[in-house]
Amino acid sequence: MKNIEFPQNFYWGGATAANQCEGAWRQDGKGESCADHYTTGTKEKPRRFTPAFDKNAKYPSHYAIDHYNRYKEDIKLFAEMGFKIYRLSINWTRIFPNGDDECPNQKGLDHYRNVFKTCRKYNIEPLVTMSHYEFPYHLTKKWNGWEDRRTIDCFVKYTTTIMKEYKDLVKYWLTFNEINTPLMGAGITMSLGMMPEQEQWLYGNGNNMSAQTANKIVKGLHNQFLASAKTVKIGRQINPNFKFGCMIASNVVYPYTCKPEDVMEAWKQQQRTNYYCGDVMVRGKYAPFTKDYLKDLGATLEIKPEDSEVLKNGTVDFYSLSYYMSGCATTDKSILEKNKNVFSTAKNPYLKASEWGWQIDPQGLRYYIDETYNRYTIPIFIAENGLGTTDEFINGEIHDPYRIDFLRQHILAVGQAIKDGAVILGYTVWGCIDIVSASTGEMSKRYGLIYVDMDDLGNGTLKRYRKDSFYWYKKLIETNGESL
Ligand code: BGP
């Protein structure tokens, strides 16, 4: 397409996360994860975290789309689309049900071996996220998750086990999904495994957290950085061909106006929410702005002398990212209140939003890739991008031109970034098959190219159907982007 060329070996594919698609939460010895304690919510009504299960509530991770038992059928459909890569996560609690068990669960190990073998059968490269929004609940209760340094050893034991086990089947690894979301006030339980302070503590405000919360977050993140770096170092000994990536949720923040205060605010937010994590994982050390950032947060961070060595010796090979939307920063509180957007940003008057209020901005993806690639000059991987929206299912058919349009525009932006000089390894459509939404727990927020017959309450045949976007993406892969 129009002067845009994708590299010959570009990895086209799709992405999922275990807790959002596998279901089978009690099967084959799986333990409880934090994700298993989140109820279904809606756009208006946040998901609830209940330490004890509420008989009257639905917990979508318990059943999801039953990918655990249907992975063969699903991967076959991915192969039909021509996927070169499938990004999936291993559920820690299938391997070590409590997180701190002596021995791994053989049935869990066997399961993922079969999944990877199925991928290989179709020449699909697995891209494995080691921790994607699920954390052993036992360790949440015992140590408040990543707040405790002892969690590092448990994680490293888990990652060492899976890297040894699958050393000939998996080459690409991501240590933590969207590691930076807690800095935006999200994922404190899902990502950091910490006990929520309130039942509905899923999304907060990154600009407005208490010093106490901020302290826990920076401590938890530091422990995750160490765990990631240790994993990378051990992984390189297990198989020198392994490639490791960080995974950062792109927080693209524009100034709401050209007032210098707004420009500065946007710059600050973008630096802090993205590069605080990115710099440690790519460069092996904290960014120069860290001191100032911690001061603003009211947080202190204890870095032991040996930590710096660990971080330096475990930097990643590539930078993977998720991208869905952009937002605007302003120092004018009244604008923020009137024009409230997702997280702590204001709405951009030039952009339209999805049904769930996420503002659609393909240029933001190009902007973020260019900015990040020129900062780090290591390969980029687009690990998540897609449109979550309702679909109409009529007589077994799903016509989704809006999704095709979204994907076309964003993939075009990726192509433009390649033209701008960025090295990009691949692109995986988020939720290539309809799965449960992470933020709301709904099924009706659908990202898939494959429709799954299931509603928000878990009712349905679970049958899979190809959407129009399925055929569109198949053609795109066949032509290596030419048909764009
Ligand atoms: C990212 C997560 C995914 C995913 C996606 C879409 O933050 O890594 O797990 O779910 O966002 O979000 P949602 O499902 O809330 O629409």
Side-chain angles (χ1 to χ4, degrees):
M1 139 106 217
K2 308 114 196 158
N3 291 330
I4 302 258
E5 263 182 53
F6 289 88
Q8 268 322 307
N9 49 359
F10 194 73
Y11 280 122
W12 297 103
T16 61
N19 78 84
Q20 291 169 253
C21 69
E22 282 183 352
W25 79 304
R26 287 290 195 213
Q27 208 172 314
D28 294 342
K30 181 187 157 340
E32 270 176 33
S33 75
C34 284
D36 294 329
H37 287 262
Y38 272 107
T39 66
T40 302
T42 66
K43 276 196 273 248
E44 294 79 26
K45 207 167 148 228
R47 304 182 74 175
R48 289 186 299 128
F49 181 94
T50 67
F53 294 111
D54 172 353
K55 277 199 216 78
N56 302 315
K58 286 271 177 194
Y59 296 86
S61 72
H62 296 191
Y63 46 88
I65 61 159
D66 198 30
H67 183 63
Y68 187 79
N69 293 303
R70 294 167 192 248
Y71 69 88
K72 282 192 185 142
E73 179 193 346
D74 294 341
I75 295 172
K76 194 169 171 213
L77 283 165
F78 301 159
E80 190 184 321
M81 270 188 276
F83 277 21
K84 311 279 182 229
I85 201 160
Y86 172 37
R87 175 179 173 231
L88 71 157
S89 68
I90 292 183
N91 205 326
W92 182 352
T93 54
R94 288 200 188 279
I95 309 300
F96 290 98
N98 295 297
D100 60 354
D101 313 70
E102 187 64 35
C103 298
N105 170 28
Q106 191 56 45
K107 285 193 172 160
L109 290 173
D110 293 345
H111 171 73
Y112 292 107
R113 172 170 294 279
N114 292 334
V115 171
F116 300 141
K117 276 188 167 166
T118 309
C119 289
R120 292 273 169 219
K121 182 173 122 190
Y122 296 110
N123 284 323
I124 297 176
E125 184 78 46
L127 164 61
V128 175
T129 319
M130 293 163 151
S131 173
H132 191 139
Y133 288 172
E134 54 79 31
F135 181 87
Y137 187 49
H138 170 71
L139 296 185
T140 297
K141 288 184 288 187
K142 194 171 173 186
W143 293 330
N144 204 29
W146 285 100
E147 193 178 352
D148 196 302
R149 259 180 112 95
R150 283 171 292 186
T151 296
I152 300 174
D153 292 339
C154 293
F155 183 77
V156 173
K157 183 171 170 185
Y158 154 64
T159 56
T160 305
T161 305
I162 57 174
M163 289 190 294
K164 279 190 179 156
E165 187 74 22
Y166 309 124
K167 69 176 189 313
D168 301 320
L169 287 164
V170 177
K171 176 178 172 191
Y172 293 100
W173 304 91
L174 306 178
T175 47
F176 291 98
N177 178 64
E178 294 190 329
I179 193 165
N180 58 325
T181 48
L183 297 175
M184 293 183 260
I188 295 162
T189 303
M190 285 233 185
S191 187
L192 287 174
M194 295 179 186
M195 198 64 97
E197 283 163 11
Q198 309 144 24
E199 210 181 41
Q200 301 182 345
W201 203 31
L202 188 64
Y203 276 110
N205 182 338
N207 283 348
N208 207 9
M209 57 174 92
S210 68
Q212 199 199 8
T213 303
N215 259 311
K216 284 190 193 173
I217 290 177
V218 297
K219 201 168 164 196
L221 284 175
H222 184 67
N223 290 337
Q224 287 190 329
F225 297 149
L226 292 170
S228 174
K230 286 185 174 192
T231 295
V232 169
K233 191 168 175 217
I234 294 170
R236 291 198 175 117
Q237 285 154 9
I238 294 173
N239 184 346
N241 292 327
F242 279 171
K243 296 282 176 217
F244 292 92
C246 58
M247 201 307 203
I248 311 280
S250 317
N251 193 24
V252 173
V253 191
Y254 302 131
Y256 187 75
T257 70
C258 54
K259 210 164 70 184
E261 286 79 2
D262 282 358
V263 176
M264 205 54 222
E265 182 60 27
W267 183 82
K268 211 164 73 180
Q269 281 188 26
Q270 189 153 300
Q271 293 282 310
R272 291 175 169 188
T273 51
N274 298 295
Y275 302 131
Y276 180 88
C277 296
D279 278 15
V280 181
M281 299 184 85
V282 178
R283 294 175 164 168
K285 55 182 186 197
Y286 282 91
F289 59 73
T290 301
K291 224 168 108 195
D292 203 35
Y293 185 21
L294 293 178
K295 207 169 99 209
D296 281 0
L297 288 171
T300 44
L301 177 62
E302 192 211 341
I303 304 179
K304 297 195 174 176
E306 62 270 26
D307 292 356
S308 307
E309 266 313 284
V310 172
L311 297 177
K312 204 171 75 194
N313 293 323
T315 56
V316 293
D317 303 296
F318 64 98
Y319 183 104
S320 86
L321 60 94
S322 62
Y323 177 77
Y324 293 93
M325 62 189 137
S326 61
C328 296
T330 170
T331 49
D332 185 338
K333 290 216 170 68
S334 67
I335 291 175
L336 277 177
E337 272 155 33
K338 271 200 310 254
N339 235 343
K340 212 181 152 342
N341 196 11
V342 184
F343 298 117
S344 38
T345 57
K347 279 206 175 81
N348 186 328
Y350 299 99
L351 299 176
K352 294 205 173 87
S354 75
E355 261 179 275
W356 268 261
W358 291 13
Q359 288 203 296
I360 300 170
D361 175 22
Q363 277 300 311
L365 178 55
R366 178 183 180 183
Y367 167 76
Y368 189 82
I369 296 171
D370 285 353
E371 158 114 350
T372 306
Y373 184 71
N374 283 285
R375 184 181 183 99
Y376 299 128
T377 57
I378 61 168
I380 304 273
F381 196 106
I382 318 302
E384 281 185 33
N385 175 236
L387 176 70
T389 192
T390 49
D391 283 322
E392 253 195 292
F393 177 74
I394 305 167
N395 301 328
E397 291 184 4
I398 304 95
H399 304 298
D400 55 347
Y402 38 87
R403 182 169 293 104
I404 294 174
D405 190 51
F406 180 102
L407 294 174
R408 175 185 289 123
Q409 306 251 16
H410 283 78
I411 294 171
L412 198 56
V414 174
Q416 279 158 338
I418 293 175
K419 239 175 115 188
D420 295 338
V423 173
I424 304 181
L425 299 174
Y427 173 95
T428 45
V429 177
W430 174 250
C432 44
I433 179 164
D434 290 346
I435 56 178
V436 173
S437 152
S439 55
T440 69
E442 292 165 291
M443 255 321 270
S444 46
K445 190 180 187 191
R446 295 174 184 274
Y447 286 86
L449 312 162
I450 299 163
Y451 184 90
V452 177
D453 177 27
M454 190 176 103
D455 67 15
D456 288 338
L457 298 173
N459 303 312
T461 61
L462 287 179
K463 246 187 105 180
R464 277 65 166 147
Y465 296 85
R466 296 164 184 81
K467 302 184 190 178
D468 285 357
S469 52
F470 178 102
Y471 300 102
W472 176 83
Y473 198 49
K474 179 176 175 0
K475 178 94 189 287
L476 183 86
I477 298 177
E478 242 164 50
T479 62
N480 197 33
E482 269 287 308
S483 62
L484 207 59

